[in-house]
Amino acid sequence: MKPRPTQWIDLKTDEVKALLERARASLDAEDYEKLKALVETAVYLLEMVEDKRTTIDRLRKILFGSSSEKTRDVMPQTPVAPPAAAPDGAEPTPSKRPGHGRNGADAYHGAEKIPVPHESLKSGDQCSDCKKGKMYEVAQPGVLVRIVGQAPVQARVYELQKLRCNLCGKVFTAQAPEGVGAEKYDATSGSMIALLKYGSGLPFNRLQGLQENLGIPLPASTQWDMVHATARKLASVYEELIRQAAQGEVLHNDDTTMKILALMGKRAQHEALAEDTPQRKGMFTSGIVSTKEGRTIALFFTGRHHAGENLAEVLAHRAAALGPPIQMCDALSRNLPGELKTLLGNCLTHGRRQFVDVTERFPEECRYVLETLGKVYKNDEVARERNLSPQERLQFHQAESGPLMEELKGWLSRQFEERRVEPNSGLGEAISYMLRHWEKLTLFLRQPGAPLDNNICERALKLAILHRKNALFYKTENGAHVGDLFMSLIHTCRLGGIDSFDYLTELQRHAGELASDPAKWMPWNYREMLKPAASPPNAA
């Protein structure tokens, strides 16, 4: 059993701040940040415990996360009988062929292709078996896949031969091979570091250690210099991506917390000088996902502004001739873009999650709600499989999902009208949330193209959360801007099924051409710019 504290201490917020300030003088910066994070965590947990709406189950999910919200995982299921054993003498089910991997050779589109000719035969030769027929080449060659390990960033050392005249002493040095280039760091190295750092959450110091172990040193400061220089080259593409995102038909937005040490230092200094001056303390990474005509753009913004303010800045680039876009977000007021008008829809998944959190206490009621919403989501899946137009999808949902949602609304209302549920209970609050935001939760039944939820934006924010989990913070606002730029380009490529490594590399190689017309260098059309220009027809 863990020992209980010998004494409970009740401290006010001002006393906690004063205690931390005294600790700052005696601790180094790293230890102080750890102590501060520990104290802030304890204060946050105490506030959650004091909130009457916080259950033990919810507190556990806040601390350790929830593995799944699927109905089959959160609701008790009827046990399935184990499969019957095969009768004696029956052939066993064949297993996969030994050596057959999960991915076929076609999946390795980034691998080097090495043609291997037959060791003794070529096309047109006589068959060595029947001695009558002629050989011809089969269109589909045989394939062997071999995986090799190497450092993420490779290096080549060119040893240029030197010759000295024994009479005059002049030294003659061999010329570098063609294509070596004058720069020490190739464009591919900048792309690789950006993908590892901002696409996979690998901190600079961790990559530095990996490179050292593999005999190719790459200091963390050098990595930052490389991605910073690359970001300056790609600034015009990022700005064009923002402009094109503003023209979207549906814009999703949400945010997550993020730390920028430079702002935290300014905040602490400001509070020490003038504690009565109001100042926003929150720092966020906002995610905005814009969709239009099957094209999806992801944007990230980190700083003091929350998701609604960042969305307003993006929509400032929207063409005046376009009407208000559909906006999908959760019901937080900070997600709204101020005075700018949008067709606002709220995330149905957030409403559903209210019932997921109370399934253990109200299993039958929650089962009905979750299964009804499951049918609505199934209808949306059918609409995608049929590739319905926005108007056809709307009519399909009105016919198939409309009656389900009306029946659900009636059931929710009756729980209060017939006093079956206490309004202050967990189930009562879940029902109240659904009824309070019903019109926005059901926008998909009235507006063509309106999505059911904000899941695409929440999945995008996992990229920022991965960075926060591994790197903990950004050091400066400039560093946060560099991270936003690369995350936006990388995740937009992923959403479109585009090779982000190739895209970042080609942008660097054609940096001189980007500024004149960045719209031609978007992830979905940059390959057109790389095609060789057609030869002019011969003069008659």
Side-chain angles (χ1 to χ4, degrees):
M1 180 180 294
K2 296 182 179 179
R4 297 183 62 184
T6 57
Q7 182 181 3
W8 291 98
I9 302 177
D10 187 11
L11 293 178
K12 297 180 180 179
T13 304
D14 294 339
E15 294 176 323
V16 173
K17 290 183 178 180
L19 179 63
L20 287 175
E21 286 301 320
R22 291 196 298 273
R24 185 198 294 270
S26 57
L27 297 175
D28 59 35
E30 183 178 356
D31 289 342
Y32 170 74
E33 288 298 328
K34 291 179 180 178
L35 176 62
K36 184 180 178 183
L38 182 62
V39 172
E40 290 177 347
T41 301
V43 171
Y44 175 71
L45 290 177
L46 286 175
E47 291 175 352
M48 293 299 298
V49 171
E50 291 175 357
D51 189 344
K52 65 179 182 180
R53 296 172 297 179
T54 304
T55 64
I56 295 298
D57 182 61
R58 182 164 180 79
L59 188 62
R60 187 182 295 114
K61 290 179 180 178
I62 291 173
L63 291 172
F64 306 110
S66 177
S67 58
S68 173
E69 292 184 0
K70 294 182 179 179
T71 303
R72 66 172 179 266
D73 295 326
V74 300
M75 298 298 302
Q77 302 292 323
T78 304
V80 180
D88 294 339
E91 290 292 332
T93 303
S95 59
K96 289 195 302 184
R97 177 167 55 86
H100 181 69
R102 178 175 298 180
N103 296 312
D106 293 340
Y108 297 90
H109 55 84
E112 180 184 3
K113 304 296 191 300
I114 304 175
V116 180
H118 196 277
E119 61 277 6
S120 60
L121 297 174
K122 62 180 183 296
S123 182
D125 287 354
Q126 187 181 51
C127 176
S128 59
D129 190 7
C130 69
K131 309 296 185 182
K132 296 180 180 179
K134 288 186 176 181
M135 310 300 298
Y136 68 93
E137 186 171 358
V138 180
Q140 184 65 33
V143 293
L144 293 174
V145 178
R146 296 295 180 265
I147 308 297
V148 297
Q150 60 183 15
V153 178
Q154 287 287 299
R156 294 174 180 171
V157 178
Y158 294 90
E159 297 181 342
L160 307 180
Q161 184 182 24
K162 288 186 176 182
L163 301 172
R164 185 193 299 272
C165 174
N166 67 346
L167 183 61
C168 68
K170 185 175 181 179
V171 176
F172 297 86
T173 304
Q175 295 294 320
E178 185 178 355
V180 170
E183 299 293 334
K184 179 177 180 180
Y185 299 102
D186 186 71
T188 56
S189 61
S191 301
M192 178 58 71
I193 294 171
L195 282 171
L196 291 172
K197 168 69 172 174
Y198 303 109
S200 300
L202 185 66
F204 289 142
N205 62 330
R206 200 171 296 172
L207 178 57
Q208 172 183 319
L210 175 62
Q211 289 288 137
E212 287 177 352
N213 289 337
L214 296 173
I216 304 177
L218 190 64
S221 58
T222 302
Q223 297 174 49
W224 162 248
D225 290 339
M226 293 169 67
V227 296
H228 187 209
T230 302
R232 288 201 299 268
K233 297 177 183 178
L234 309 187
S236 59
V237 173
Y238 179 52
E239 293 170 1
E240 177 62 22
L241 202 66
I242 295 174
R243 191 195 70 79
Q244 297 215 18
Q247 321 309 318
E249 297 168 347
V250 182
L251 283 92
H252 303 250
N253 70 318
D254 200 358
D255 53 29
T256 185
T257 58
M258 187 62 67
K259 289 184 177 180
I260 303 176
L261 294 188
L263 293 183
M264 296 171 67
K266 291 179 181 178
R267 185 185 76 192
Q269 182 181 13
H270 180 84
E271 290 178 349
L273 294 176
E275 293 186 358
D276 57 341
T277 303
Q279 185 182 21
R280 179 179 292 173
K281 298 181 179 180
M283 285 173 278
F284 311 93
T285 290
S286 298
I288 297 175
V289 179
S290 172
T291 61
K292 182 179 181 180
E293 298 174 353
R295 188 174 294 163
T296 307
I297 297 173
L299 300 175
F300 296 87
F301 303 94
T302 301
R304 292 285 191 203
H305 291 174
H306 51 61
E309 292 169 332
N310 287 316
L311 178 60
E313 292 182 7
V314 171
L315 290 178
H317 300 275
R318 189 173 179 84
L322 295 176
I326 298 171
Q327 180 192 354
M328 172 53 64
C329 61
D330 58 45
L332 288 176
S333 59
R334 72 186 188 195
N335 289 330
L336 303 181
E339 298 179 355
L340 292 177
K341 184 179 180 182
T342 60
L343 302 175
L344 181 60
N346 282 161
C347 176
L348 196 59
T349 297
H350 276 76
R352 179 184 181 278
R353 190 171 297 148
Q354 307 288 323
F355 294 90
V356 171
D357 291 340
V358 296
T359 49
E360 292 184 1
R361 288 178 289 158
F362 306 93
E364 293 308 314
E365 294 87 345
C366 293
R367 181 187 296 275
Y368 169 74
V369 175
L370 297 181
E371 290 181 351
T372 300
L373 294 178
K375 295 175 183 177
V376 174
Y377 271 89
K378 181 62 178 179
N379 290 336
D380 201 54
E381 182 182 352
V382 170
R384 282 195 301 272
E385 292 174 350
R386 295 180 182 178
N387 198 24
L388 301 182
S389 67
Q391 187 61 40
E392 292 171 338
R393 173 180 174 271
L394 173 63
Q395 294 173 353
F396 179 75
H397 268 305
Q398 288 174 339
E400 300 296 331
S401 302
L404 293 171
M405 296 302 290
E406 280 301 313
E407 183 180 345
L408 177 60
K409 183 180 181 182
W411 182 88
L412 295 172
S413 300
R414 287 195 301 273
Q415 304 310 300
F416 288 153
E417 293 169 358
E418 300 175 5
R419 303 195 176 192
R420 300 179 183 177
V421 175
E422 170 60 43
N424 290 331
S425 67
L427 180 59
E429 292 182 353
I431 293 174
S432 297
Y433 181 92
M434 289 286 285
L435 293 176
R436 188 166 61 250
H437 303 290
W438 188 261
E439 290 301 310
K440 299 181 182 69
L441 290 170
T442 56
L443 182 66
F444 70 96
L445 295 176
R446 301 184 302 278
Q447 182 65 34
L452 271 65
D453 53 46
N454 199 33
N455 290 354
I456 189 173
C457 188
E458 293 190 0
R459 287 194 294 268
L461 281 174
K462 288 184 177 180
L463 194 59
I465 294 171
L466 179 65
H467 178 274
R468 182 182 68 200
K469 179 180 178 181
N470 289 280
L472 303 181
F473 52 80
Y474 289 109
K475 187 175 181 180
T476 64
E477 293 179 89
N478 183 42
H481 175 72
V482 170
D484 293 338
L485 181 149
F486 280 113
M487 287 186 190
S488 300
L489 297 179
I490 290 170
H491 198 60
T492 298
C493 287
R494 289 176 178 174
L495 291 173
I498 297 158
D499 187 336
S500 53
F501 178 78
D502 180 73
Y503 179 60
L504 294 176
T505 302
E506 294 298 343
L507 289 185
Q508 294 176 73
R509 289 173 175 168
H510 298 83
E513 306 169 39
L514 302 182
S516 59
D517 195 355
K520 293 182 179 179
W521 293 92
M522 294 290 98
W524 50 84
N525 63 6
Y526 81 102
R527 298 300 304 179
E528 296 296 324
M529 299 297 296
L530 301 178
K531 293 180 179 179
S535 304
N538 296 329

